[in-house]
Amino acid sequence: MSGLSSEIWARLDFERRGRLGMVEAIWGEHKSAEQIVTLLRRFYDQGELALVTRVAPDKAEAILESFVGQGQETDRPLHHPEARCLTLPAPPPPDPELGRVIVLTGGSSDLGVAAEAHLALACHGVPVELVLDVGVAGLHRLQSQLERLQQATVLIACAGMEGALPTVLAGLLPQPVIGVPVSVGYGVSAGGMAALHGMLASCAPGMSVVNIDNGYGAAMAALRILRIRGAADLDRR
């Protein structure tokens, strides 16, 4: 596609922020470093924040090298290795008026998916924090965090294996809980399918579930909840 204009092979949705309150993310896994560099420059020229997801370390290095010596440091992409993402420019400061999201993991192996969700929310100015390694194999770890979790507006729970963490949360706390099945686990875990099925079959009423490893999707679901909540608060004033 090197001979094609990026206007042809990528029809970027720069109106998405105004229409939906969120920026378009660039899926990086199946794009070349050259294509991603082109898209980053188009976002930058439009004055829009760019979030590129699923970027392997070697590809990220090649992309960063393309910006070496160009402009100020703020004009160059940032690599977020835990989230496997790039941003340009840096995410904005958090806005407390938007509410607060806590992203939890069942275990440390779920961190990559949780970090993607965390970064996607940060790119929209949402105050967000991580609570790690509080899976159901040691419920006392989760119980010790309940007071902290009660202060959140929305909870995102990332879990592999049998995926029980979001069900436990949704049975203990009143906030919206978004479950993210993670492709971590032995044999019958089947690349996250067991966690996905477990979350979909949850007996906790009102729990939401996104696709396997979809930290970004969970973040955007949380963002929609926060924006509806914010609109409702304004209507009551």
Side-chain angles (χ1 to χ4, degrees), residues 25-37:
I26 301 167
W27 175 265
E29 186 171 347
H30 299 104
K31 292 181 178 68
S32 68
E34 180 184 13
Q35 288 173 322
I36 293 172
V37 168

Side-chain angles (χ1 to χ4, degrees), residues 102-220:
I102 293 182
V103 183
L104 303 94
T105 70
S108 55
S109 296
D110 307 321
L111 178 57
V113 175
E116 180 181 279
H118 183 281
L119 178 62
L121 286 164
C123 285
H124 292 83
V126 175
V128 55
E129 60 182 291
L130 292 169
V131 173
L132 305 178
D133 201 21
V134 289
V136 300
L139 278 175
H140 61 285
R141 299 177 301 185
L142 180 61
Q143 290 172 322
S144 70
Q145 299 296 320
L146 289 180
E147 184 175 348
R148 177 182 179 187
L149 298 179
Q150 288 167 352
Q151 308 307 311
T153 314
V154 181
L155 300 169
I156 295 175
C158 306
M161 300 293 188
E162 83 288 7
L165 176 60
T167 291
V168 173
L169 286 168
L172 291 173
L173 298 166
Q175 296 98 323
V177 175
I178 302 168
V180 188
V182 179
S183 55
V184 169
Y186 298 105
V188 296
S189 296
M193 289 300 295
L196 173 62
H197 290 163
M199 292 181 192
L200 289 174
S202 172
C203 62
M207 191 182 90
S208 301
V209 184
V210 298
N211 207 346
I212 297 169
D213 291 343
N214 192 5
Y216 171 77
M220 294 304 97

